[in-house]
Amino acid sequence: MAIRVSSHSLENKDHDTRGEIRKLLEVGNKSELEKRLGTRIAFGTAGLRGRMEAGYSRVNSLTIIQASQGLASYLLDTVPSASSKGIVIGYDARYNSEKFARLAATAFITKGIKVWWYGNLVHTPLVPFGVTIVGAAAGVMVTASHNPAEDNGYKVYWSNGCQIIPPHDAGIAASITRNLYPISWDQSLVEKDYLLVEDALTQVRDPYFAAVTRTARRDFSTKSLHESRFIYTPMHGVGLAYMTEAVERLGLVDCMIVVEEQAHPDPRFPTVRFPNPEENGALDLAIKTAERHDVHLIIANDPDADRLAVAEKVNGRWYQLTGNQLGCLLASHVLSTFSPIVDRSKLAMLNSTVSTGMLRSMASQEGFHSEETLTGFKWLGNVALQLEAQGYDALYAFEEALGYMFSEVVHDKDAVTAGAVFLSAASRWRATENLTPWGKLQQLYTRYGYFETANTYFISPDPVLTERLFEGIRSLDSPHPAKLGNRRILRWRDLTKGYDSATVDNLPLLPVSKDSQMITCELEGDVIFTVRGSGTEPKIKLYIECQADTLIQAQKGADDVLKDIAKEWFKPEANGLQWA
């Protein structure tokens, strides 16, 4: 440990975090020192994300510099003309985000790579959009999205405007280990080296909003939307300026009422327990604002404005749409506004394997192509590009975790584009069918069937425990468990071990990763569920969906399976797991 402390002291020139390690050493806190210095923070397809503290296993100035130096070297080795193509760098309003972005820029500049510098608070989608507009080799966004205030992160985009996927994650991780000693700590270098730094915001902002407006204006009717004001909250993040510009270009800015207590960037996120619109209570202030103004519609972003939440008041009660519900509503809008002169079979829409099966039902009945991918927009974006190369119009993708991608703008989730398209869709539904979003959803249920979920998660205190629990599940029977509760398991897919009972050779069609736990089962009674370990949070996530002829039957089926999973597989009380 003494060698690691000494090495860290030599590498780390950040006074704040140097003091943290020194204090731990002075009080003899060996266990905490081991946690901080014993392992390095893992670089994966999500880049880096974690708590901002001193140490190799945390997010801090040193690990940001090391990641940037490794990424820079990897780009120079793998991307032709990487130094002149450059890298787009953006940051949000979290603690240390600008500092980390400046240090990252310094690392690229010292390696001779041009930096496309935003130099102001941006929402995450503007980085991948910028990568494609300026033709950059890659992009970096400093954000931890909807994580707690103590966290930050480092998200990497490849030259195609998508989040990185294998083998780039492993290649970058290996390059980081070869570039650990910081070359420079000069945060002002991005302002000094004019030859290698170019302002990106002035070149990217207008094309971005033009693309958003084109996408949202398809079959757009402003008249009926002016009758429906809406509440907007950026949840203490960066979204207000971007959403305001988007709705202003649609002529709807007078319809928007902002939740003032959450309007401006505040890295403390003081009015919410977690700055995630999925979490219970996150929309409480928005609902209070809506009640005060007698408004029946709410849209909300997470702090980096890549996720969108929607709530509607129906018969005196507020309903927050799930990601699956809003995802299918937007899919129906894309389908209805798709060009009638283009073969519908060339339209493609995607969602992840943990998202609703309703999209497949829609595709089957309506004749468009649907595609299932692994969890995350790194897969949705890259697979959409593959489909486009095959001649499809892969216009749209979504994931149940409130993420929606419109590929005419960006191949990543984007709450500003999704919000603009949703407002356009709501206008069209009201003008042509006299339906609110909730009413339109009920129409979709009638046509395609009821799909209800019982999605939740457990907080796991230890990754080792998570792995042990999954191994215990696999060992219940061979080659896999045959039943869960009173239901037979009709299909077992294990993307950790590489097994799928439904394929001829028992090999999954989706990519396998031994580094992440993920099991999917299809059960009797039209239930499908996935359990997986989160790659960015200490959680075991459960996604359960039942299809039935009525809402009550579908919800009961999903709820019953959730109880069986908890009772037979995870046993939260016995294993120290905390319910969401």
Side-chain angles (χ1 to χ4, degrees):
M1 179 56 68
I3 295 174
R4 275 177 277 180
V5 171
S6 176
S7 176
H8 185 269
S9 179
L10 287 172
E11 293 172 350
N12 186 21
K13 304 303 180 186
D14 184 84
H15 296 295
D16 295 335
T17 51
R18 280 169 67 96
E20 280 184 53
I21 296 298
R22 186 170 58 250
K23 287 177 183 177
L24 291 172
L25 191 62
E26 288 171 354
V27 299
N29 192 338
K30 293 182 179 179
S31 64
E32 186 64 20
L33 283 168
E34 181 63 35
K35 289 178 184 176
R36 304 281 193 93
L37 301 177
T39 59
R40 292 194 176 275
I41 187 170
F43 187 96
T45 52
L48 304 176
R49 192 180 293 188
R51 194 176 181 90
M52 287 181 284
E53 291 179 318
Y56 296 131
S57 64
R58 302 293 194 263
V59 172
N60 51 63
S61 297
L62 176 60
T63 54
I64 291 291
I65 291 172
Q66 291 172 331
S68 299
Q69 291 180 168
L71 174 58
S73 292
Y74 184 77
L75 291 174
L76 291 171
D77 290 341
T78 59
V79 179
S81 305
S83 56
S84 59
K85 288 180 178 177
I87 186 162
V88 176
I89 299 179
Y91 57 89
D92 67 5
R94 284 179 175 268
Y95 289 118
N96 295 315
S97 283
E98 182 178 357
K99 174 184 177 181
F100 292 161
R102 286 175 171 272
L103 290 170
T106 293
F108 290 104
I109 292 168
T110 57
K111 292 278 191 178
I113 295 176
K114 179 178 183 175
V115 169
W116 297 91
W117 179 244
Y118 277 138
N120 210 331
L121 302 179
V122 299
H123 69 318
T124 291
L126 206 63
V127 169
F129 183 84
V131 168
T132 58
I133 287 294
V134 304
V140 165
M141 178 68 188
V142 179
T143 181
S145 192
H146 57 280
N147 277 37
E150 300 79 16
D151 291 0
N152 214 326
Y154 183 96
K155 181 179 283 190
V156 178
Y157 293 88
W158 201 241
S159 56
N160 61 1
C162 295
Q163 295 179 49
I164 57 169
I165 56 173
H168 295 310
D169 55 337
I172 295 167
S175 183
I176 291 170
T177 64
R178 298 191 296 268
N179 293 272
L180 294 177
Y181 192 81
I183 299 172
S184 174
W185 287 81
D186 186 355
Q187 294 183 44
S188 66
L189 197 58
V190 74
E191 294 160 353
K192 295 176 181 176
D193 201 323
Y194 296 111
L195 292 176
L196 283 176
V197 179
E198 188 161 351
D199 173 32
L201 199 56
T202 55
Q203 299 187 49
V204 170
R205 186 183 176 95
D206 280 347
Y208 171 77
F209 284 111
V212 172
T213 305
R214 281 195 307 272
T215 302
R217 275 196 178 279
R218 189 179 285 123
D219 196 25
F220 182 72
S221 168
T222 58
K223 183 176 183 296
S224 58
L225 194 59
H226 276 281
E227 299 169 3
S228 298
R229 297 174 300 162
F230 62 94
I231 302 299
Y232 171 67
T233 174
M235 208 158 289
H236 300 296
V238 300
L240 179 60
Y242 295 94
M243 187 61 78
T244 300
E245 178 79 9
V247 299
E248 192 170 68
R249 291 190 180 215
L250 294 176
L252 304 176
V253 71
D254 292 337
C255 301
M256 184 168 77
I257 300 170
V258 179
V259 179
E260 287 301 325
E261 300 92 329
Q262 298 174 335
H264 303 294
D266 188 335
R268 300 170 301 157
F269 310 121
T271 66
V272 290
R273 211 161 54 92
F274 296 104
N276 182 353
E278 286 184 289
E279 296 286 345
N280 291 333
L283 297 187
D284 285 356
L285 267 178
I287 290 173
K288 287 180 181 178
T289 304
E291 294 288 359
R292 190 165 64 247
H293 291 275
D294 192 27
V295 172
H296 289 191
L297 189 65
I298 293 169
I299 64 175
N301 296 154
D302 63 347
D304 68 326
D306 64 353
R307 295 171 189 244
L308 176 73
V310 170
E312 182 182 341
K313 190 177 183 180
V314 182
N315 297 325
R317 177 183 172 187
W318 282 97
Y319 292 88
Q320 182 173 343
L321 298 178
T322 68
N324 285 327
Q325 290 170 332
L326 182 52
C328 288
L329 280 169
L330 291 171
S332 75
H333 175 70
V334 170
L335 179 65
S336 297
T337 56
F338 186 64
S339 173
I341 63 173
V342 178
D343 181 1
R344 185 177 280 188
S345 68
K346 290 299 182 181
L347 169 64
M349 292 192 256
L350 307 85
N351 65 356
S352 66
T353 187
V354 300
S355 301
T356 180
M358 190 173 186
L359 185 68
R360 291 190 297 275
S361 179
M362 293 172 68
S364 176
Q365 292 193 43
E366 306 296 347
F368 66 88
H369 178 77
S370 70
E371 188 89 8
E372 178 186 75
T373 76
L374 285 181
T375 308
F377 277 85
K378 58 181 175 284
W379 298 108
L380 289 164
N382 278 284
V383 173
L385 284 174
Q386 293 170 13
L387 289 171
E388 289 165 15
Q390 296 169 24
Y392 287 99
D393 285 326
L395 295 180
Y396 172 66
F398 74 91
E399 189 163 64
E400 55 76 38
L402 304 183
Y404 316 95
M405 177 189 95
F406 291 87
S407 59
E408 291 172 306
V409 181
V410 68
H411 284 84
D412 197 26
K413 57 184 179 289
D414 180 354
V416 173
T417 301
V421 173
F422 171 76
L423 293 173
S424 172
S427 170
R428 192 176 62 80
W429 296 328
R430 181 178 292 276
T432 62
E433 303 178 76
N434 195 29
L435 291 174
T436 69
W438 186 257
K440 181 65 178 179
L441 180 63
Q442 308 317 304
Q443 184 190 82
L444 297 183
Y445 283 145
T446 300
R447 181 170 179 82
Y448 304 116
Y450 287 86
F451 293 75
E452 293 299 317
T453 62
N455 295 350
T456 187
Y457 61 84
F458 298 117
I459 297 175
S460 175
D462 187 350
V464 175
L465 171 63
T466 299
E467 185 173 344
R468 180 169 61 80
L469 289 171
F470 274 87
E471 289 300 328
I473 292 165
R474 294 182 180 102
S475 67
L476 290 172
D477 204 346
S478 182
H480 58 80
K483 294 186 69 176
L484 179 70
N486 295 321
R487 299 172 188 259
R488 285 191 305 122
I489 295 176
L490 305 178
R491 180 187 182 187
W492 177 279
R493 184 178 66 193
D494 187 336
L495 293 180
T496 307
K497 300 296 184 181
Y499 177 85
D500 189 340
S501 66
T503 60
V504 174
D505 55 5
N506 292 143
L507 296 177
L509 300 177
L510 292 178
V512 173
S513 174
K514 295 181 179 179
D515 298 326
S516 58
Q517 300 291 338
M518 187 170 185
I519 295 172
T520 299
C521 295
E522 295 179 10
L523 308 180
E524 286 181 318
D526 288 322
V527 177
I528 183 169
F529 72 85
T530 294
V531 291
R532 71 178 185 94
S534 171
T536 57
E537 301 167 291
K539 295 177 179 178
I540 298 172
K541 295 190 173 183
L542 287 67
Y543 309 85
I544 307 160
E545 183 173 71
C546 179
Q547 179 183 3
D549 293 332
T550 69
L551 183 150
I552 293 174
Q553 290 172 339
Q555 192 63 66
K556 184 179 185 304
D559 290 342
D560 288 347
V561 170
L562 172 59
K563 293 174 185 174
D564 290 335
I565 292 172
K567 179 182 177 181
E568 298 182 18
W569 282 15
F570 290 106
K571 304 172 185 174
E573 292 77 15
N575 288 306
L577 302 176
Q578 180 183 332
W579 282 92

